[in-house]
Amino acid sequence: MRGSRGALRGVHVLLGVPAHVPEDLVSSLQELARPEVAERMTTLTAQGTMPGTGLIMRSEKLIEAYGLAALGWRQEIGDPRAIIDTVGRRMADEDWFVTALWQPQYLHDV
């Protein structure tokens, strides 16, 4: 790919939690494995879109690498519009959840 080294500069794939989840409890992927955190999560899934995308493949690797799969965490695939609607609803309800995100993305400002 032409310019592939610089093409992705500043782009990051991550698993995100809403801002209302206390940062002193969840500020890293390792902390998702803490029992007191897992108990508060509405689901042990990270929502993401379209199988085979870089976002999904990277999220699955993160879930596996941080031992979250062994604790029941899984990547959930869904329609992009439905996921955005679900994130909005869950934010309004102040649910504790995880979603696959990339940066830059407008959901970081929600």
Side-chain angles (χ1 to χ4, degrees):
M1 291 191 317
R2 185 172 56 81
S4 63
R5 270 198 246 184
L8 298 177
R9 190 169 290 150
V11 176
H12 304 279
V13 172
L14 52 105
L15 297 177
V17 297
H20 59 261
V21 175
E23 193 171 341
D24 62 325
L25 290 178
V26 183
S27 62
S28 69
L29 289 174
Q30 294 94 328
E31 292 172 334
L32 291 174
R34 293 169 56 189
E36 63 271 27
V37 171
E39 288 172 4
R40 294 283 312 265
M41 291 290 168
T42 307
T43 59
L44 297 181
T45 61
Q47 291 184 303
T49 63
M50 298 182 279
T53 64
L55 174 66
I56 296 303
M57 293 185 330
R58 183 65 178 139
S59 296
E60 288 171 348
K61 286 181 181 180
L62 289 173
I63 289 169
E64 196 63 45
Y66 284 87
L68 299 174
L71 299 171
W73 286 87
R74 62 185 171 76
Q75 176 69 60
E76 182 178 274
I77 308 298
D79 171 79
R81 181 83 243 154
I83 288 172
I84 291 169
D85 291 345
T86 300
V87 166
R89 179 182 45 77
R90 293 175 109 184
M91 294 283 291
D93 292 344
E94 294 197 1
D95 287 348
W96 285 32
F97 66 96
V98 175
T99 193
L101 297 171
W102 61 93
Q103 195 170 2
Q105 182 188 62
Y106 82 94
L107 284 174
H108 295 281
D109 297 325
V110 176

